[in-house]
Amino acid sequence: MSAPAARPAVRLAHRSCPTCEASCGLRVEIDDAARAVLRIEGDPEDPRSQGYLCPKAYAMKEIFEDPERLERPIRKRPDGTWEEIGWEEAFEYATSRLLDIKARYGADANGYYIGNPTGHNVGAQLYLPALIGGLGTQRSFSAGTMDQFPQNVALHTMLGDPWLFPIPDLDRTDFFVCMGGNPLVSQGSLMSGPDVKKRLRAIEARGGRVVVIDPRRTETAEIASEHVFIKPGSDAFFLLSVCHVLFAEGLVRPGRLADFTDGLDEIERIAADWTPERVAAATGVDPATTRRLVRDFCAARGAWYGRIGLCTQEFGTLASWLVYVVNALTGRLDAEGGMLFPRPATGRSEPGRPFDPFTHSRYKTVARGIPEIAGQIPCGLMAEEIETASAGERRMRGLVVSMGNPVLSAPNGERLAAALDELEFMVCLDIYLNETTRHADLILPSTVQLEHENYDFLFEATSIRNFARWSPALFEPRPGMRHHWQILCELGARLAGASGQVVDDMMVKGLLGMTTGPGTGCPNVTPDEAFAKLEDAEGPMRMIEAMIRIGPYGDRFDDASDGLDLRRLREAPQGIDLGPLEANRLPAAMPLERLDLVPAHIARDLPRLESALAERSREDRLVLVGRRQIRNMNSWLHNLPALAKGRDRCTLLVHPDDAARAGIENGKRVRVRSRVGEVEVPCQTSDEMMPGVVSLPHGYGHRLDGVRLSVARELQPGACSNYLTDETVLDVPSGTHVANGIPVEIAPA
Ligand SMILES: Nc1nc2c(c(=O)[nH]1)N[C@H]1C(S)=C(S)[C@@H](COP(=O)(O)OP(=O)(O)OC[C@H]3O[C@@H](n4cnc5c(=O)[nH]c(N)nc54)[C@H](O)[C@@H]3O)O[C@H]1N2
Ligand SMILES: Nc1nc2c(c(=O)[nH]1)N[C@H]1C(S)=C(S)[C@@H](COP(=O)(O)OP(=O)(O)OC[C@H]3O[C@@H](n4cnc5c(=O)[nH]c(N)nc54)[C@H](O)[C@@H]3O)O[C@H]1N2
Ligand code: SF4
Ligand SMILES: [Mo]
C-alpha cells in the first residue's frame, strides 16, 4: 500500500459568489494549512459569468477573516456585557424563554423577522419552515416588505404563484426598458445575470435600445440609449398612460396569451382616462416621449422591467402590476426576447406543484389593525406591535431575528431600536454584534459562506438563463460551530417538542411522499426507496437532491437514467448550464387556470391613485429616494476593510438648483428632515438628480453604542436613511413600505 499523497499547499476551488443575485462563478486560491484565502478571481470557464466579478467578491474572504465575527453563542449579562456560552445552554435558554412567553400570552406574543442573506444561503431558506412551525405565530415580518413584496402580490393574484417571476430575456431582447432598477450597481435583481453592463452594451451593439426611466441619471442610465426622468412614486400614473396609448393606437397584441387571459376589456376601460397629457404634471414625463417610447417598444422585441424603485413607493403594487400588464398587452410576457419564466432544476415552476391561494385580512395587527397580506405583516410595524403604549396587553414580547438588521433596514429604525428594549426576550441568529443584535438577549452565530456548501436556490428562479449550481464548503468549520440550517432546525424542533433529526427527516419524507410512488412523476420508486437512495444523511443538500431528482431535469430515481442527481451536480465545478429561458411556459407553469390581468385585490387600489392625481400634479415638494453602491450590500459589508475603505460614501445627492435654493454648498454638511426624524450627511451636488429629488444610500449609521463593528465605525459610519422613512405610510395592497418618494426638507447643518 502506498502512502496517501500529501495535499498540495495551495489548492484552487470553484464556487459561486453568494453575495448578490448575480451568483458569479469564482476561482478561490486556498492555503489549507494556514486556513487562508490567498486569492479570489472571476472564473473564465464559468458559462454564466465568464470571468466577471465585482469588488464584493472579496466579501467572502473578509467575512471569513473578520476578527469581530462571532463564532460562539453569546448571552447578555444583567449588566449589559456579553458572555460566551455553549450551544446546549444557548438552545435551552432560547427555547425556555420563547415557550414561557407562549405559555403566558399565547403563540402570537412571539414574532420573527427574516432578513435578506437568507436568500443567499440554501440552508437558511429551506429550514425556515422548521423555525416558523415551531413558533406557530402569526406575527411574521421580513425584509420582503421593504423589497419585492408588491411583485409577489401581483404575481400571486395574477397567476397564482408569488415566486414565479418573469425575468427579462436580456441576451435576446432588442428593447429593454428599465424602471426603478440600477442593475449596473445592484448587478441585477430579479434579473440575475453576471456582468449586466456587457449584456446591456450587447443590446445596443445588435441595434437594440436600452431606456432607463428613473429620477436619477444612474450608472445604468449613463450607458443607456436614453434616460427619462420620472417623479418618484408616479410610475403607476405613467404606466397607465402607457396602457392608454397601447389601446388608443391599436398596439395591443397579446397573441397566444389571449387564449387564457381574463381582463383585457377591463384594463382597456381602466386605461381609457389616463392619457399621457393627463398624467404629465404628476410624472414629469413629456407626453410625446411616452407615445414615442410605446411605439418604439411595440416595433421591437421588447422587455419592460421594473424593480425596487417601483416596489418601495406609495403605489408599489399598482406600478409593479402594471409592468406585467404592459408586457402582457404587447405579447412580451412569456415570449422570447421579452419576459420569461425560469425553469429551476428543483421543480418549483413545474405543473402540478402545491398551490397556495392568495389570502389577506385573515387577521390584523394589534396596534393599528393593519391586515396581514399573504401571511406577512409590514416590517416597519414591528415597533408599534412591541410597544406597550400602542399594543397594550396583546403586544409582541418575544422576537427571533434571523439574518436581518432591521434597525438599519426597516423604516423608522430609531423607534424600532427603542421598542426592542421593551421585549421580554430577543434572540438573533447573526454573525455580528450590530445595530440590531445589540438589543438581543442571545446571539446565535452560524458558519459563513466559505464554511458551508451552498446551492443557488433562489437565484435559479430569477436567472436570465437556466442553470443549477452547487458550491462546496472551502473550509471545515472550527469545532463547535453550527450551520444556520442546524440552528433553525434545532430551535424549531425544540419549540415543537421534537428532535432536530426527526424534523429534518420529516421534511424530506413529506416531500417524497407527495412526489414519488404510483400516480406520480416517479412511479417506479416508493417514498421509502427514494429516501434510501439520497446521498446525504441530513441537511439542505439532501432536500435539494430530492427536489432535483424529481424535477424537470432529474433522473426520477431511475438508476438507468442519466438525469440530474446530487452526484452529477457535485461533479460540475462550474455548475450545469440548462440553456436559455424557454418561451410559452404559460398557462402550464402557472397554478391558476387563467391569467387574471386585473385582479380585484389590486384594482381596489385604483381609486387611491385617482384621488392622488390632483395633489401630485400640483405640488412642488422635495422628496428622497434611495441609492445602492457597488461596495455595499445593504447594511452588512461595512466592517470589511477592502470594501469600506475610501471616501465617505453616505452622501446626499442634490440637484444644484435645489442646493442653491436651500443655501447648501457642495461638500458641506446638510441636515435632512422628514416627518419621522433627521440625519446629517455631506452634500454632493449633481445634475444627475431630477430637480426636486434627493438621494441617500441606505444601510449606514454604524456609530451606535454597544456595536462591535470597529471598521465600519471608523471608515464608513454614515447616517441611517431609515431614520427618515415613515413607518406609517404603506402601499395598501401589499403593505410594503415607502422608501422612495419621502417628503423631506434640507438645510445647511
Ligand atoms: N431606505 C431603504 N431601506 C431599505 C432598502 C432601500 O432600498 N432603502 N432596501 C431594502 C431591501 S431590498 C432589503 S433586502 C433590506 C435588507 O434588510 P435586512 O435583511 O434586515 O438587512 P441586511 O443589512 O441585509 O442585514 C443582514 C444581516 O444578516 C447578517 N448576516 C450576513 N451574513 C450572515 C450569515 O452568513 N449568517 C448569519 N447568521 N448572519 C448573517 C448580517 O450581519 C446582518 O445583520 O433592506 C431594506 N431597506
Ligand atoms: N451593490 C449592491 N448591490 C445590491 C444591493 C446593495 O445593497 N448593493 N442590494 C441587493 C438587494 S437586497 C436588492 S433588493 C437589489 C435591488 O436592485 P435594484 O432594484 O436595481 O436597486 P437600486 O440600485 O436601489 O435601484 C433602484 C432605482 O430606483 C430608482 N427610483 C427610486 N424611486 C423611484 C421611483 O419612484 N420610480 C422610478 N422609476 N425609479 C425610482 C432609484 O433612483 C434607483 O436608481 O439590489 C441587490 N444588489
Ligand atoms: S456581482 Fe454579485 S455575485 Fe458577482 S462577484 Fe459581485 S457580489 Fe459576487
Ligand atoms: Mo432586497
Side-chain angles (χ1 to χ4, degrees):
M1 264 177 61
S2 60
R7 260 174 123 185
V10 173
R11 157 169 81 96
L12 195 63
H14 298 82
R15 61 158 302 151
S16 76
C17 174
T19 299
C20 89
E21 292 184 35
S23 311
C24 299
L26 301 179
R27 280 205 307 220
V28 188
E29 219 176 85
I30 288 168
D31 180 341
D32 282 309
R35 208 178 151 76
V37 174
L38 304 178
R39 192 163 34 168
I40 296 182
E41 54 189 20
D43 182 356
E45 284 164 55
D46 187 281
R48 294 177 65 255
S49 55
Q50 299 174 7
Y52 179 78
L53 84 175
C54 87
K56 287 189 301 304
Y58 266 79
M60 279 197 311
K61 167 178 160 68
E62 294 219 311
I63 291 169
F64 176 67
E65 291 170 354
D66 192 341
E68 287 180 323
R69 148 160 90 100
L70 303 171
E71 296 195 348
R72 299 260 180 282
I74 56 173
R75 178 170 61 191
K76 197 182 269 164
R77 298 191 188 95
D79 68 359
T81 59
W82 295 88
E83 61 183 344
E84 269 190 16
I85 58 173
W87 280 102
E88 180 53 36
E89 199 181 347
F91 282 124
E92 178 50 33
Y93 180 42
T95 313
S96 64
R97 294 300 305 271
L98 292 166
L99 287 177
D100 174 57
I101 290 171
K102 182 175 178 176
R104 282 185 293 141
Y105 308 103
D108 293 335
N110 289 314
Y112 60 88
Y113 171 87
I114 307 302
N116 169 278
T118 307
H120 299 264
N121 176 324
V122 64
Q125 251 178 304
L126 291 177
Y127 287 80
L128 261 189
L131 174 72
I132 293 171
L135 284 168
T137 174
Q138 296 186 325
R139 279 199 168 111
S140 164
F141 304 92
S142 81
T145 45
M146 275 296 270
D147 193 342
Q148 82 298 331
F149 207 50
Q151 289 179 281
N152 294 136
V153 168
L155 295 168
H156 209 165
T157 52
M158 292 175 82
L159 45 76
D161 183 343
W163 298 102
L164 188 63
F165 293 107
I167 308 299
D169 190 9
L170 217 50
D171 292 340
R172 290 181 293 192
T173 191
D174 295 325
F175 200 106
F176 179 58
V177 180
C178 177
M179 294 183 78
N182 184 13
L184 246 64
V185 168
S186 69
Q187 307 283 347
S189 181
L190 303 183
M191 184 173 84
S192 317
D195 203 355
V196 172
K197 188 177 189 173
K198 188 174 88 185
R199 294 173 200 273
L200 295 185
R201 288 231 153 100
I203 295 176
E204 289 166 351
R206 58 180 180 261
R209 288 165 59 74
V210 175
V211 178
V212 172
I213 306 176
D214 198 296
R216 180 179 156 238
R217 194 173 65 246
T218 59
E219 293 79 353
T220 309
E222 288 289 353
I223 67 151
S225 329
E226 183 175 354
H227 169 235
V228 179
F229 276 131
I230 188 166
K231 287 193 191 174
S234 72
D235 302 85
F237 297 122
F238 170 74
L239 287 160
L240 277 171
S241 79
V242 167
C243 294
H244 174 92
V245 175
L246 287 172
F247 283 105
E249 303 200 2
L251 295 168
V252 171
R253 283 191 186 79
R256 59 182 289 281
L257 296 176
D259 297 343
F260 51 86
T261 297
D262 293 329
L264 284 160
D265 294 343
E266 205 180 341
I267 191 71
E268 179 169 16
R269 194 180 47 71
I270 289 167
D273 287 344
W274 294 95
T275 63
E277 289 71 19
R278 185 168 173 238
V279 304
T283 61
V285 181
D286 172 17
T289 303
T290 309
R291 291 179 194 280
R292 177 176 49 78
L293 261 180
V294 173
R295 288 175 201 140
D296 291 353
F297 180 78
C298 291
R301 206 161 65 145
W304 200 300
Y305 164 80
R307 198 43 196 104
I308 201 162
L310 263 58
C311 292
T312 48
Q313 56 146 290
E314 197 177 352
F315 299 104
T317 304
L318 288 176
S320 301
W321 161 66
L322 284 164
V323 167
Y324 301 142
V325 170
V326 168
N327 284 293
L329 291 178
T330 51
R332 307 315 308 154
L333 187 69
D334 200 25
E336 198 173 298
M339 301 289 283
L340 294 175
F341 298 97
R343 189 160 203 188
T346 45
R348 285 169 297 145
S349 70
E350 296 310 299
R353 63 192 183 278
F355 163 51
D356 278 328
F358 177 75
T359 53
H360 65 93
S361 311
R362 287 166 298 164
Y363 47 92
K364 294 193 168 158
T365 63
V366 171
R368 254 199 294 158
I370 301 290
E372 139 295 320
I373 292 163
Q376 285 280 306
I377 297 171
C379 64
L381 271 50
M382 262 188 292
E384 63 192 46
E385 291 292 287
I386 295 169
E387 292 160 356
T388 314
S390 41
E393 268 310 294
R394 287 167 63 211
R395 69 187 179 272
M396 181 158 80
R397 299 163 192 260
L399 179 64
V400 183
V401 177
S402 179
M403 296 181 157
N405 191 2
V407 166
L408 296 192
S409 58
N412 201 347
E414 266 183 313
R415 179 176 178 185
L416 177 62
L420 292 177
D421 290 333
E422 285 192 47
L423 287 167
E424 289 184 20
F425 181 71
M426 174 174 173
V427 52
C428 288
L429 281 49
D430 208 288
I431 51 173
Y432 283 114
L433 180 49
N434 66 17
E435 299 76 16
T436 297
T437 63
R438 73 192 168 126
H439 297 276
D441 301 286
L442 177 67
I443 306 178
L444 305 177
S446 49
T447 53
V448 292
Q449 301 145 342
L450 291 176
E451 297 161 326
H452 61 76
E453 43 180 0
N454 204 16
Y455 177 82
D456 295 323
F457 184 63
L458 182 54
F459 308 123
E460 66 174 358
T462 61
S463 173
I464 62 166
R465 207 177 154 85
N466 287 318
F467 78 111
R469 177 157 196 162
W470 168 81
S471 292
L474 305 189
F475 295 100
E476 281 290 314
R478 281 190 222 284
M481 293 192 70
R482 301 260 175 146
H483 298 306
H484 203 79
W485 73 266
Q486 292 174 313
I487 301 171
L488 291 171
C489 190
E490 186 65 32
L491 196 56
R494 288 187 188 220
L495 288 169
S499 91
Q501 183 70 48
V502 168
V503 169
D504 189 14
D505 287 353
M506 234 167 51
M507 296 206 301
V508 188
K509 285 181 173 164
L511 173 70
L512 293 173
M514 289 185 294
T515 51
T516 54
T520 70
C522 308
N524 299 325
V525 65
T526 67
D528 283 342
E529 287 163 354
F531 186 78
K533 284 185 177 210
L534 297 173
E535 268 196 31
D536 290 5
E538 58 171 20
M541 287 312 296
R542 182 171 67 167
M543 207 120 85
I544 291 293
E545 175 173 18
M547 288 187 209
I548 61 173
R549 293 183 74 169
I550 60 185
Y553 318 92
D555 71 352
R556 310 284 155 112
F557 290 99
D558 174 355
D559 296 334
S561 161
D562 58 4
L564 207 53
D565 62 11
L566 188 57
R567 191 178 45 77
R568 290 189 179 93
L569 193 67
R570 280 184 168 145
E571 280 170 0
Q574 275 94 11
I576 297 175
D577 179 43
L578 297 167
L581 303 186
E582 300 160 42
N584 305 334
R585 295 208 60 219
L586 300 186
M590 63 187 209
L592 295 184
E593 257 170 51
R594 296 184 61 84
L595 182 71
D596 189 357
L597 210 52
V598 190
H601 178 75
I602 294 179
R604 267 198 294 278
D605 201 34
L606 284 164
R608 189 171 68 97
L609 186 75
E610 177 73 52
S611 60
L613 180 66
E615 201 186 321
R616 290 289 170 276
S617 306
R618 225 177 12 247
E619 69 197 7
D620 197 15
R621 54 181 194 166
L622 189 69
V623 293
L624 175 75
V625 298
R627 158 168 118 251
R628 281 181 163 71
Q629 299 171 313
I630 198 79
R631 287 167 185 273
N632 299 350
M633 183 63 183
N634 299 322
S635 75
W636 64 281
L637 298 186
H638 294 144
N639 209 47
L640 311 179
L643 296 174
K645 69 184 181 209
R647 60 174 177 81
D648 188 351
R649 299 201 295 261
C650 187
T651 60
L652 187 76
L653 281 176
V654 188
H655 188 275
D657 294 349
D658 291 322
R661 199 170 306 125
I664 303 161
E665 282 171 53
N666 186 34
K668 292 278 162 56
R669 289 183 76 79
V670 49
R671 187 179 322 129
V672 194
R673 187 182 301 158
S674 75
R675 184 197 76 80
V676 167
E678 74 177 46
V679 299
E680 268 186 36
V681 287
C683 172
Q684 201 182 336
T685 57
S686 168
D687 69 0
E688 74 196 51
M689 293 311 301
M690 185 178 195
V693 186
V694 294
S695 158
L696 186 67
H698 75 282
Y700 292 88
H702 300 297
R703 238 170 228 171
L704 296 177
D705 292 335
V707 166
R708 205 180 289 164
L709 296 168
S710 55
V711 175
R713 185 183 190 90
E714 187 61 31
L715 297 183
Q716 292 290 346
C720 179
S721 71
N722 282 318
Y723 289 5
L724 300 169
T725 325
D726 192 333
E727 80 284 16
T728 64
V729 188
L730 297 170
D731 164 51
V732 174
S734 72
T736 301
H737 291 282
V738 178
N740 291 294
I742 306 165
V744 289
E745 290 163 13
I746 55 173

